[in-house]
Amino acid sequence: QQQVKQSPQSLIVQKGGISIINCAYENTAFDYFPWYQQFPGKGPALLIAIRPDVSEKKEGRFTISFNKSAKQFSLHIMDSQPGDSATYFCAVSPRSGGYQKVTFGIGTKLQVIP
Amino acid sequence: KAGVTQTPRYLIKTRGQQVTLSCSPISGHRSVSWYQQTPGQGLQFLFEYFSETQRNKGNFPGRFSGRQFSNSRSEMNVSTLELGDSALYLCASSLGGGGNQPQHFGDGTRLSIL
């Protein structure tokens, strides 16, 4: 079953605009919510992550908003730049069970046009 | 500090053959996870190894197997290759100890099945 639903699958934003990507999950046992950024020909790289005890985390132009009751979280990219053009994946991970089991969203291909 | 290294970067095989992919994690990382990435399915978890033991496994057939060596390097093997196995195979390492550890990805091995 699809444990995390990500939308939209593609997004075009003008330079300087705000890019917003949303994810929804079903299992309340998740407690680690990372976002990864992937450029063509490269592996995904951790961008920013949040735990459910906070509602927002900001790092530079990137912000995660987390709504525990709605089981949703989103990535906001402020002042989007052409260099931000990449595929973004949200992910969920269960409470520590002594192992890695990260489930990824389907990905959002972001294009920032000048 | 060197990142995660995957070899080879590209591989072309024919149906029915088998293939072995290699992953060298970041020094000090004891957990290695493998993922299959395809355009339609996104990133799908294959398995995770920690201290030479498989800790977790995704929903893939038994043709997909792996192992980890005492130096934490890992190999993934796919036997009796099928056309649908064409994908980017990604390896990720983390310090280990639980599902909330950030994962560091290699740039993948692009496997094409003819």
Side-chain angles (χ1 to χ4, degrees):
Chain A
Q1 71 277 18
Q2 194 178 2
Q3 297 193 69
V4 57
K5 296 181 181 178
Q6 183 173 346
S7 63
Q9 289 193 32
S10 65
L11 182 60
I12 300 175
V13 173
Q14 284 224 295
K15 178 182 174 181
I18 303 174
S19 304
I20 302 175
I21 304 169
N22 301 298
C23 282
Y25 62 97
E26 297 173 356
N27 190 336
T28 56
F30 298 130
D31 76 338
Y32 179 62
F33 304 88
W35 284 89
Y36 285 83
Q37 179 190 55
Q38 185 178 28
F39 292 104
K42 295 291 187 181
L46 180 65
L47 188 63
I48 186 173
I50 197 169
R51 299 189 192 278
D53 53 344
V54 297
S55 60
E56 185 175 283
K57 183 175 182 179
K58 184 176 180 179
E59 289 185 3
R61 296 184 294 107
F62 300 91
T63 300
I64 298 179
S65 297
F66 185 80
N67 186 329
K68 188 174 181 178
S69 60
K71 291 185 283 187
Q72 295 175 347
F73 59 111
S74 59
L75 175 69
H76 295 234
I77 305 174
M78 313 299 288
D79 186 27
S80 299
Q81 300 296 312
D84 296 331
S85 297
T87 299
Y88 293 81
F89 295 92
C90 65
V92 295
S93 184
R95 289 193 185 99
S96 178
Y99 55 84
Q100 283 278 7
K101 186 161 187 188
V102 180
T103 302
F104 287 84
I106 196 70
T108 297
K109 188 170 184 178
L110 170 65
Q111 184 182 359
V112 181
I113 54 177
Chain B
K1 201 173 190 181
V4 177
T5 304
Q6 291 189 246
T7 57
R9 289 295 312 276
Y10 303 93
L11 209 47
I12 299 175
K13 292 286 186 179
T14 56
R15 282 182 298 172
Q17 287 187 309
Q18 74 165 17
V19 66
T20 299
L21 313 180
S22 179
C23 172
S24 294
I26 291 173
S27 178
H29 284 194
R30 297 168 64 190
S31 169
V32 173
S33 298
W34 288 89
Y35 295 85
Q36 181 193 66
Q37 185 175 24
T38 57
Q41 299 294 319
L43 279 151
Q44 292 192 290
F45 173 77
L46 280 154
F47 29 64
E48 186 226 358
Y49 286 87
F50 180 82
S51 292
E52 303 179 65
T53 300
Q54 186 182 89
R55 284 202 299 199
N56 200 11
K57 191 177 188 303
N59 297 323
F60 278 82
R63 300 184 298 107
F64 292 82
S65 63
R67 60 176 174 169
Q68 187 180 33
F69 302 95
S70 58
N71 62 357
S72 293
R73 191 178 70 84
S74 178
E75 288 183 346
M76 187 190 108
N77 185 275
V78 187
S79 62
T80 320
L81 287 164
E82 301 177 0
L83 291 176
D85 297 334
S86 293
L88 179 67
Y89 290 88
L90 291 160
C91 160
S93 74
S94 61
L95 281 169
N100 296 348
Q101 299 280 336
Q103 291 192 302
H104 301 263
F105 283 83
D107 290 335
T109 294
R110 173 75 61 185
L111 175 63
S112 299
I113 311 301
L114 303 179

